[in-house]
Amino acid sequence: MSARARPDATELGDARRRVEALVCDLPGSGEKGFDQPWELRAFALAVAAYHNGHYEWSEFQLSLIEAIREWERGGGDEPWRYYEHWLTALEAVLSGKGLLSEAVLDEQTRTMLATPRNANHHQAHRDPVAISPRTA
């Protein structure tokens, strides 16, 4: 093992500890945390956007509560999926901050749905999940 640490090792370690602390407080955290890869991505996006100063965590929490209330008002006909509410809350907060437009989201959703599930499956994806800075 090299005695020389990467310059960003402390920052990455701090970020990892913050994410682990958040994950530990999630419902069912003692069990399996994420059922689908997109759930982990949604979680990471919310944490990254928060740590990049795009919103206060309390704003996201209130948005998540509202997303769950909306599901409850619907009579719970849809199956309970925590991270769908998480994603709804994230979209609402980012839209409210002007960081995400419904038109862009719709366009990217259409693009993703038109892409075969195994597209680029043969290529390794080693880049970490990241949020592009706003380019408005």
Side-chain angles (χ1 to χ4, degrees):
M1 184 171 154
S2 170
R4 188 172 164 197
R6 294 186 337 223
D8 61 342
T10 301
E11 184 178 334
L12 289 173
D14 288 345
R16 180 174 294 123
R17 283 186 285 280
R18 287 192 306 263
V19 169
E20 287 172 354
L22 286 169
V23 170
C24 288
D25 293 337
L26 291 173
S29 60
E31 306 161 12
K32 185 177 177 183
F34 303 99
D35 290 329
Q36 301 292 325
W38 71 264
E39 295 173 345
L40 176 59
R41 286 187 215 112
F43 179 82
L45 285 170
V47 172
Y50 162 70
H51 282 292
N52 283 310
H54 293 298
Y55 53 77
E56 294 296 322
W57 194 250
S58 60
E59 294 175 90
F60 177 76
Q61 289 174 312
L62 291 174
S63 183
L64 180 57
I65 290 167
E66 182 55 33
I68 292 171
R69 277 192 188 134
E70 187 63 33
W71 175 78
E72 290 173 338
R73 281 192 285 267
D77 293 338
E78 295 291 321
W80 170 258
R81 293 187 180 111
Y82 181 75
Y83 283 100
E84 287 193 15
H85 303 302
W86 181 280
L87 189 58
T88 299
L90 179 59
E91 289 172 2
V93 169
L94 293 177
S95 292
K97 297 288 182 180
L99 299 171
L100 179 68
S101 80
E102 194 168 323
V104 170
L105 185 59
D106 287 346
E107 178 60 31
Q108 292 192 356
T109 299
R110 280 191 291 275
T111 301
M112 287 298 295
L113 291 175
T115 304
R117 290 184 63 118
N118 61 353
N120 302 322
H121 186 71
H122 61 285
Q123 297 174 346
H125 298 273
R126 296 187 173 103
D127 295 329
V129 174
I131 297 176
S132 299
R134 185 171 177 216
T135 56

